[in-house]
Amino acid sequence: MQAFDHRKYHPTPAPQMRNRQWPNRTLTRAPRWCSVDLRDGNQALLEPMNVAQKQRLWTLLVKLGFKEIEVGFPAASQPDFDFVRWLIEAHAIPDDVTIQVLVQAREALIVRTFEALRGARRAIVHVYNSTSPVQRERVFGLDRDGVTAIARQGAAWVQREAQKYPATAWTFQYSPESFSNTEMDYAVEICEAVLDVWQPTPGQPCIINLPSTVESSTPNIFADQVEYFATHISRRDSIIISLHTHNDRGCAVAAAELGVLAGADRVEGTLLGNGERTGNMDIVTMAMNLYSQGIAPQLDLSNPDEIIQVATECTALPVHPRHPWVGELVYTAFSGSHQDAIRKCLQRQQAEEPWQVAYLPIDPQDLGRDYQAVIRVNSQSGKGGVAFVMERDYGLSLPRWMQVELAQAVQRASEADGGEVDSARIHALFMQTFVNDHTRVSLKGYRLDRNGGHDTLAAQIMVDGQTQLIQGHGEGAISAFVQGWMRHSGQHINVVDYSEHAIGSGTGAEAVAYIQLNLNGQRVAGAAFDHDTVSASLKAVLSALNRVSVGEAILPAALSPAAS
């Protein structure tokens, strides 16, 4: 057999569902959330968190709005035991928050667990044992009845110990570990055995948690398993069905979403998906998925940078820059067509209408991000991204033909530099390329006489250090200036396009003018700034002329010098 041979694997058996309902349902509300960062997430770390780190992460989880938090495995770890004691003795648990602890179905561990919880107002005791065929046969060497006896006995020990602490409001939780790899009829059977011990009621329900301890099937099969369980278990009105999906196949969030459609009430997971092997269900991702569909996630995720900072500093695990919803680059577009679409949509987006922006499924500002990071420019970028940066950072609304030419200059710079081109560099390229009104020829002053739409303009210009005078007539200052230039230079010029706008507002606002000329059959663009709009327009013409003047005579010697 070859080393990489698919034949040694087989598909996960799917339950036979003749009338599945979950595909026709729609998510309309958030499930009950339970964070397991401090237990499952902590067990997954190369170096488990110390008490100070656990306290910091606990504070964040409470701040985010979690009402159920699994805080440790106190019977298996002294630091976990000490942390649970600190929570209780320091009165660090808010009245509306319930702590949860995990324990195997072993008597000594269950006794120790309840000792750790002594004095808690409210707590969930989560007991489990493995139920899959491979666990039964290859790990424990037991048949179904033997494994069911472990679950039943564990449930009885939990019930017995809880009676010793009547001041605490207890909730019992049971997990048939490796549920998704267990025969569905047996998963129901073993949970029924536990329910027979606990005798839950609608007024005092228990939690049955269904883990995909190792994710080994597509999410739709997991949803079938959940729906099978939910429709075959008794006392459905007295149990809360919870899910605990893992991410071995990269589908933990999808499996949880479909599992809720299939009848689950509650979801366990971790912030940003930390957990054993490939991780647990990512609560941030699932909650933001709901939020993007107009569903209140019941968690405050408006400051993801704080979540990332605390989580990474406590766990020493990095967050991928393209992590769903909160990664550094998820609201960043490098593709030129994407950038152009984002820019156009943002310009049209109205505050009172539903969010409709191409490539941005939500408003980044909802997550405390601003648009400084929406558009970034590299060699893959186009005119849209360049235009967005120029307008956002410098107030310059470039006409399309100038966007195209500037984007080409930016691309060349990016390819030469080998990376991203920042805003300041783009602006510098714009100034170097288009604003050339103080090189070989510049404007010293002008006089404009207007008479019924027919303008006469006399302009004093500096040409290669010599002051000269040109005069012209036309419909508007630009037309008169160009006519005067052509008359004296012999060059043939057409104004192809022109636009101008103010930068800022008030009496101190500056004008910027953009012009595209056809000069002797060659199109050339120029731009210029001035507090006077006519001066800005004339300087833009000179900027364009200066771009093609290298090595050429600007004006023939016959031009008369201006009077001193």
Side-chain angles (χ1 to χ4, degrees):
M1 183 178 287
Q2 298 176 1
F4 191 75
D5 189 345
H6 67 280
R7 291 173 295 178
K8 63 183 177 182
Y9 306 106
H10 59 83
T12 300
Q16 296 302 308
M17 301 286 290
R18 297 183 181 277
N19 189 32
R20 62 175 58 84
Q21 298 299 308
W22 65 261
N24 297 320
R25 295 174 183 154
T26 302
L27 294 175
T28 58
R29 60 185 176 85
R32 286 172 55 169
W33 302 110
C34 178
S35 162
V36 296
D37 291 86
L38 294 167
R39 197 278 301 174
D40 202 343
N42 190 46
Q43 286 180 229
L45 300 178
L46 184 63
E47 294 186 14
M49 287 178 274
N50 57 37
V51 173
Q53 290 170 324
K54 284 188 174 184
Q55 290 171 344
R56 186 180 180 197
L57 188 51
W58 162 265
T59 300
L60 174 67
L61 294 170
V62 171
K63 180 180 179 181
L64 296 179
F66 285 98
K67 303 306 179 186
E68 296 177 3
I69 303 173
E70 192 169 76
V71 294
F73 202 143
S77 164
Q78 189 62 44
D80 276 15
F81 188 98
D82 293 341
F83 179 63
V84 174
R85 292 311 308 157
W86 172 82
L87 287 169
I88 296 169
E89 294 170 3
H91 305 288
I93 307 170
D95 291 342
D96 61 346
V97 174
T98 302
I99 59 172
Q100 174 174 305
V101 295
L102 184 70
V103 63
Q104 290 173 309
R106 294 166 56 187
E107 184 176 18
L109 299 181
I110 291 171
V111 170
R112 177 71 167 164
T113 296
F114 277 88
E115 290 173 357
L117 291 169
R118 186 183 70 257
R121 286 190 302 270
R122 208 170 40 251
I124 300 169
V125 178
H126 180 187
V127 63
Y128 73 97
N129 67 304
S130 296
T131 59
S132 68
V134 69
Q135 292 273 13
R136 296 195 312 259
E137 297 164 8
R138 299 197 175 192
V139 179
F140 298 109
L142 296 172
D143 59 12
R144 285 188 177 190
D145 290 343
V147 171
T148 300
I150 293 174
R152 185 183 293 109
Q153 182 62 74
W157 284 327
V158 167
Q159 189 175 54
R160 183 195 71 192
E161 292 304 306
Q163 291 170 354
K164 297 178 181 179
Y165 305 92
T168 300
W170 299 106
T171 298
F172 303 151
Q173 176 171 326
Y174 173 69
S175 284
E177 188 193 8
S178 59
F179 160 80
S180 58
N181 293 106
T182 300
E183 309 95 318
M184 286 300 101
D185 64 325
Y186 181 58
V188 173
E189 177 184 319
I190 195 170
C191 290
E192 290 286 8
V194 171
L195 296 179
D196 285 343
V197 175
W198 286 342
Q199 293 293 312
T201 65
Q204 191 168 356
C206 69
I207 300 171
I208 298 295
N209 188 57
L210 307 178
S212 62
T213 307
V214 177
E215 183 180 44
S216 57
S217 70
T218 52
N220 63 300
I221 291 179
F222 182 71
D224 280 352
Q225 293 172 330
V226 173
E227 184 169 321
Y228 180 97
F229 184 90
T231 55
H232 286 75
I233 194 74
S234 66
R235 302 179 177 90
R236 182 64 184 90
D237 61 349
S238 299
I239 63 172
I240 297 160
I241 294 182
S242 178
L243 305 177
H244 185 114
T245 58
H246 278 251
N247 204 41
D248 300 82
R249 292 169 54 93
C251 300
V253 170
E257 290 177 330
L258 298 190
V260 172
L261 289 176
D265 311 296
R266 180 180 185 266
V267 171
E268 295 185 347
T270 58
L271 298 175
L272 307 171
N274 175 36
E276 291 280 13
R277 304 183 310 278
T278 55
N280 288 341
M281 206 288 299
D282 184 339
I283 289 181
V284 170
T285 296
M286 183 171 173
M288 286 305 303
N289 288 355
L290 295 172
Y291 181 76
S292 71
Q293 301 301 303
I295 301 170
Q298 306 303 322
L299 296 172
D300 182 2
L301 305 178
S302 60
N303 189 358
D305 292 338
E306 179 186 24
I307 296 173
I308 292 170
Q309 180 181 4
V310 173
T312 54
E313 291 178 0
C314 289
T315 65
L317 295 175
V319 174
H320 196 283
R322 299 199 187 280
H323 188 286
W325 299 114
V326 298
E328 179 187 0
L329 297 179
V330 295
Y331 303 110
T332 302
F334 289 101
S335 164
S337 61
H338 289 197
Q339 293 169 343
D340 186 56
I342 290 172
R343 180 180 64 88
K344 290 175 179 176
C345 289
L346 288 175
Q347 289 173 341
R348 298 186 60 179
Q349 180 66 34
Q350 300 296 314
E352 66 278 1
E353 67 176 348
W355 182 258
Q356 299 179 81
V357 175
Y359 303 110
L360 294 180
I362 67 165
D363 184 348
Q365 290 184 334
D366 293 351
L367 293 177
R369 305 288 173 87
D370 57 34
Y371 293 121
Q372 297 301 310
V374 171
I375 300 291
R376 292 166 65 169
V377 177
N378 63 11
S379 62
Q380 301 301 304
S381 305
K383 61 181 176 56
V386 170
F388 185 96
V389 169
M390 292 296 286
E391 186 168 356
R392 178 194 68 191
D393 295 344
Y394 302 99
L396 300 175
S397 300
L398 306 186
R400 186 181 183 280
W401 38 268
M402 190 168 281
Q403 294 175 21
V404 172
E405 187 173 354
L406 179 58
Q408 293 169 351
V410 171
Q411 184 174 27
R412 289 192 295 271
S414 177
E415 291 171 347
D417 297 343
E420 183 178 337
V421 182
D422 63 19
S423 173
R425 178 79 168 112
I426 294 171
H427 183 258
L429 287 168
F430 167 78
M431 297 296 289
Q432 294 165 14
T433 304
F434 299 107
V435 183
N436 297 285
D437 59 299
H438 288 88
T439 52
R440 293 190 65 187
V441 57
S442 60
L443 179 71
K444 292 189 65 179
Y446 72 92
R447 187 182 72 249
L448 179 63
D449 295 322
R450 290 185 160 162
N451 184 15
H454 188 75
D455 295 342
T456 299
L457 183 138
Q460 229 180 14
I461 58 176
M462 183 76 73
V463 181
D464 291 335
Q466 301 272 328
T467 301
Q468 300 192 20
L469 178 68
I470 62 172
Q471 296 181 348
H473 309 277
E475 296 180 356
I478 295 175
S479 177
F481 185 70
V482 168
Q483 192 268 343
W485 183 273
M486 289 192 296
R487 185 159 57 90
H488 291 287
S489 69
Q491 294 173 318
H492 183 72
I493 300 174
N494 285 324
V495 177
V496 179
D497 203 352
Y498 166 81
S499 65
E500 55 92 8
H501 64 82
I503 303 174
S505 59
T507 56
E510 192 174 30
V512 58
Y514 315 100
I515 199 160
Q516 186 181 44
L517 303 178
N518 186 314
L519 177 60
N520 294 329
Q522 176 185 359
R523 287 199 175 188
V524 60
F529 301 84
D530 201 285
H531 289 287
D532 174 62
T533 56
V534 174
S535 291
S537 302
L538 303 185
K539 289 180 178 180
V541 174
L542 297 181
S543 290
L545 294 174
N546 280 326
R547 292 186 65 192
V548 295
S549 67
V550 178
E552 299 178 1
I554 293 290
L555 289 174
L559 266 180
S560 59
S564 58

